[in-house]
Amino acid sequence: LSLPGRMYSGAVLADMDMLMVRPVALAHASSGAALARFRTRTLDSAQKLAAASGYVGLNGRPAALYADEASMVDGHGTASAFEAYAKELAGLGAALAVYEAAAAASDPKFVHDEAWPTLRAVAAWTVARGAWTKRGFEFGLAMNPDE
């Protein structure tokens, strides 16, 4: 989902991951994979954002932090610093979209070359972002889905 105009500057919003990929992938698997490829194509940018934000995955694996509002060109975030921090959980939606597209596509090359590296990097970010507390594994300062 990309909204033109001054406010969003043509950004791809996390809503695409959460609302569009699953139904499109179920209706037409290759189109769902094409949508998910925005995230696999911008994995390098997501890994740079995670590193710049101080997130390192388990055993030094590269973590991936996908922006809630991402540039269509390179995947870099377009939101303010606080908004970006509070909306970091959008990366989980990106991983879900990639997983769902891979499951629908049944393409071993897509799974191995694109989906798996993306899922692994988002999992590494999840471990780095959360913390174990007496209540369980938690994320601090996160914006709820209602924003």
Side-chain angles (χ1 to χ4, degrees):
L1 178 60
S2 174
L3 300 177
R6 203 164 148 222
M7 182 176 171
Y8 290 104
S9 304
V12 174
L13 304 179
D15 298 14
M16 176 194 77
D17 301 317
M18 298 304 296
L19 303 174
M20 292 177 60
V21 174
R22 179 184 296 156
V24 170
L26 291 173
H28 195 265
S30 62
S31 295
L35 286 173
R37 277 192 171 97
F38 172 74
R39 297 303 186 181
T40 64
R41 181 176 55 81
T42 58
L43 176 58
D44 186 56
S45 291
Q47 288 174 323
K48 288 177 182 172
L49 180 57
S53 301
Y55 297 119
V56 178
L58 207 55
N59 299 324
R61 287 194 181 271
L65 171 55
Y66 284 97
D68 177 60
E69 299 171 17
S71 162
M72 290 192 308
V73 175
D74 57 14
H76 288 294
T78 60
S80 70
F82 172 76
E83 211 176 30
Y85 181 77
K87 293 182 175 183
E88 281 181 351
L89 300 178
L92 298 174
L96 180 62
V98 170
Y99 169 79
E100 289 173 337
S106 298
D107 176 358
K109 184 168 174 42
F110 175 67
V111 170
H112 182 271
D113 297 347
E114 298 179 66
W116 175 243
T118 302
L119 295 172
R120 182 177 54 211
V122 172
W125 169 83
T126 304
V127 170
R129 173 68 160 81
W132 284 102
T133 70
K134 59 185 172 187
R135 292 183 302 260
F137 192 76
E138 297 184 328
F139 293 109
L141 186 63
M143 189 173 288
N144 69 33
D146 290 342
E147 298 184 34

